[in-house]
Amino acid sequence: MSFSYLRELPKPSEIKNQYPLSDKLTALKAERDRMISDVITGRDNRFLVIIGPCSADNEDAVLDYVSRLAPVAEQVKERLVIIPRIYTNKPRTTGEGYKGIASQPDPEKKPDMVAGLIAMRNMHIHAIEASGMTCADEMLYPENWGYVEDLLSYVAIGARSVEDQHHRLTVSGFDVASGMKNPTSGDFTVMLNSVYAAQHPHQFVFRGHEVQTSGNPLTHVILRGAVSKHGNSVQNYHYEDIMRLIDKYNQMELLHPAAIIDANHSNSGKQHREQIRIVKEIMHNRKISSEIHDMVKGVMIESYIEEGSQKVCDHIYGKSITDPCLGWEDSRRLIYDIAEMNA
């Protein structure tokens, strides 16, 4: 047989009962969800900053990071809504390498899916407790939604998943802001078709059940750059790119047109320090164009305590073991600059 069934995983309800979210934090999440929804729908003029490690591989370092982020978020709260980026799943282009804490709680040990689900849930709960902020994660595996649905205030669907029917239909049942990235080809139509699908109701099979969803009106796009047929990075955050996106949005019957710009990945060519310049260009374009101002609701930044990246075996505290990130001091200054430019 091609499959060896190792063990049956606990149901989401079992994990949630073992590791519950308190009533106080449940109320906090409801308030955070409303704030973020209001930004996406245009009722709130604040700007979203989704910021944090490329992959959340170490709980101690992640909690340290969000604890540093919390007072900065408080200082800029009149202009920005900060959403910590805690990505517990890591897509791998070739299938090789670290796949995230949800699969490997210890990056140097074999996968352990049960321990990974527990580590994923605990990390998000502890991050909310440490920072007073609910977080963002990538839903690489739609079946994992039930384990964190009461914790997340923002969900991203990655470039390699956005064309997948199961991802699109699952997002149609989410009740939080959900961003669909453009595929690695850069095709805007594919991305917007994904938004259209997720904004509408569907009936399908999910976790062994026939389910029906109501559609997610908070689904929007994330521009992350593309890769050409020659393997070169192609940016899509410039003025002309956003105007083309606006034109494409206008051709479709979509609710609440909105875009988040991912400043890393193919937009930066994975040159992490370029994120500073890219974000400032985005903020400038929002200043000079009311259409871009109304379309671009936020940015996504890869940031950690230490700048750059490392090998798993290097064991440098607070440094990415996947894509290189901005260091903390540069990140802190950039947040203040974003707030100033969103005056």
Side-chain angles (χ1 to χ4, degrees), residues 166 203-211:
H166 192 45
Q203 193 164 335
F204 58 102
V205 175
F206 184 74
R207 293 190 61 87
H209 293 77
E210 182 179 2
V211 299

mmCIF file of all heavy atoms in Angstrom, residues 166 203-211:
data_model
loop_
_atom_site.group_PDB
_atom_site.id
_atom_site.type_symbol
_atom_site.label_atom_id
_atom_site.label_comp_id
_atom_site.label_asym_id
_atom_site.label_seq_id
_atom_site.Cartn_x
_atom_site.Cartn_y
_atom_site.Cartn_z
ATOM 1 N N HIS A 166 -9.986 22.939 -2.686
ATOM 2 C CA HIS A 166 -10.274 22.672 -1.272
ATOM 3 C C HIS A 166 -9.965 23.894 -0.413
ATOM 4 O O HIS A 166 -10.716 24.222 0.512
ATOM 5 C CB HIS A 166 -9.467 21.458 -0.809
ATOM 6 C CG HIS A 166 -9.878 20.926 0.526
ATOM 7 N ND1 HIS A 166 -11.197 20.747 0.897
ATOM 8 C CD2 HIS A 166 -9.135 20.534 1.598
ATOM 9 C CE1 HIS A 166 -11.251 20.258 2.128
ATOM 10 N NE2 HIS A 166 -10.014 20.125 2.573
ATOM 11 N N GLN A 203 -21.152 23.859 -0.843
ATOM 12 C CA GLN A 203 -21.443 22.601 -0.169
ATOM 13 C C GLN A 203 -20.393 21.592 -0.633
ATOM 14 O O GLN A 203 -20.204 21.380 -1.837
ATOM 15 C CB GLN A 203 -22.846 22.123 -0.539
ATOM 16 C CG GLN A 203 -23.371 21.005 0.338
ATOM 17 C CD GLN A 203 -24.875 20.833 0.182
ATOM 18 O OE1 GLN A 203 -25.590 21.775 -0.189
ATOM 19 N NE2 GLN A 203 -25.367 19.642 0.467
ATOM 20 N N PHE A 204 -19.678 20.985 0.328
ATOM 21 C CA PHE A 204 -18.557 20.125 -0.034
ATOM 22 C C PHE A 204 -18.224 19.190 1.125
ATOM 23 O O PHE A 204 -18.896 19.223 2.175
ATOM 24 C CB PHE A 204 -17.338 20.956 -0.433
ATOM 25 C CG PHE A 204 -16.839 21.916 0.627
ATOM 26 C CD1 PHE A 204 -15.726 21.609 1.399
ATOM 27 C CD2 PHE A 204 -17.476 23.135 0.838
ATOM 28 C CE1 PHE A 204 -15.260 22.489 2.371
ATOM 29 C CE2 PHE A 204 -17.013 24.027 1.800
ATOM 30 C CZ PHE A 204 -15.906 23.702 2.573
ATOM 31 N N VAL A 205 -17.200 18.376 0.944
ATOM 32 C CA VAL A 205 -16.762 17.436 1.973
ATOM 33 C C VAL A 205 -15.602 18.053 2.756
ATOM 34 O O VAL A 205 -14.622 18.519 2.170
ATOM 35 C CB VAL A 205 -16.323 16.099 1.339
ATOM 36 C CG1 VAL A 205 -15.741 15.174 2.410
ATOM 37 C CG2 VAL A 205 -17.492 15.431 0.638
ATOM 38 N N PHE A 206 -15.718 18.037 4.084
ATOM 39 C CA PHE A 206 -14.675 18.598 4.940
ATOM 40 C C PHE A 206 -14.551 17.736 6.190
ATOM 41 O O PHE A 206 -15.521 17.536 6.913
ATOM 42 C CB PHE A 206 -15.004 20.041 5.318
ATOM 43 C CG PHE A 206 -13.934 20.735 6.119
ATOM 44 C CD1 PHE A 206 -12.755 21.150 5.521
ATOM 45 C CD2 PHE A 206 -14.099 20.957 7.486
ATOM 46 C CE1 PHE A 206 -11.762 21.779 6.247
ATOM 47 C CE2 PHE A 206 -13.113 21.592 8.226
ATOM 48 C CZ PHE A 206 -11.936 22.003 7.604
ATOM 49 N N ARG A 207 -13.363 17.210 6.426
ATOM 50 C CA ARG A 207 -13.078 16.368 7.595
ATOM 51 C C ARG A 207 -14.116 15.262 7.767
ATOM 52 O O ARG A 207 -14.612 15.014 8.866
ATOM 53 C CB ARG A 207 -12.980 17.211 8.865
ATOM 54 C CG ARG A 207 -11.762 18.156 8.877
ATOM 55 C CD ARG A 207 -11.581 18.792 10.246
ATOM 56 N NE ARG A 207 -11.340 17.779 11.275
ATOM 57 C CZ ARG A 207 -10.149 17.285 11.592
ATOM 58 N NH1 ARG A 207 -9.058 17.720 10.963
ATOM 59 N NH2 ARG A 207 -10.028 16.371 12.532
ATOM 60 N N GLY A 208 -14.467 14.596 6.663
ATOM 61 C CA GLY A 208 -15.369 13.453 6.729
ATOM 62 C C GLY A 208 -16.833 13.798 6.859
ATOM 63 O O GLY A 208 -17.664 12.913 7.090
ATOM 64 N N HIS A 209 -17.181 15.077 6.685
ATOM 65 C CA HIS A 209 -18.570 15.509 6.766
ATOM 66 C C HIS A 209 -18.976 16.227 5.480
ATOM 67 O O HIS A 209 -18.145 16.846 4.807
ATOM 68 C CB HIS A 209 -18.775 16.475 7.936
ATOM 69 C CG HIS A 209 -18.607 15.852 9.281
ATOM 70 N ND1 HIS A 209 -17.376 15.574 9.828
ATOM 71 C CD2 HIS A 209 -19.532 15.461 10.200
ATOM 72 C CE1 HIS A 209 -17.541 15.037 11.027
ATOM 73 N NE2 HIS A 209 -18.842 14.956 11.278
ATOM 74 N N GLU A 210 -20.254 16.174 5.171
ATOM 75 C CA GLU A 210 -20.804 17.068 4.158
ATOM 76 C C GLU A 210 -21.137 18.382 4.854
ATOM 77 O O GLU A 210 -21.869 18.396 5.848
ATOM 78 C CB GLU A 210 -22.066 16.467 3.533
ATOM 79 C CG GLU A 210 -22.665 17.340 2.438
ATOM 80 C CD GLU A 210 -23.908 16.728 1.805
ATOM 81 O OE1 GLU A 210 -24.334 15.638 2.245
ATOM 82 O OE2 GLU A 210 -24.447 17.350 0.880
ATOM 83 N N VAL A 211 -20.561 19.481 4.372
ATOM 84 C CA VAL A 211 -20.734 20.775 5.035
ATOM 85 C C VAL A 211 -21.277 21.806 4.053
ATOM 86 O O VAL A 211 -21.185 21.647 2.835
ATOM 87 C CB VAL A 211 -19.396 21.293 5.621
ATOM 88 C CG1 VAL A 211 -18.846 20.333 6.655
ATOM 89 C CG2 VAL A 211 -18.372 21.540 4.519
#
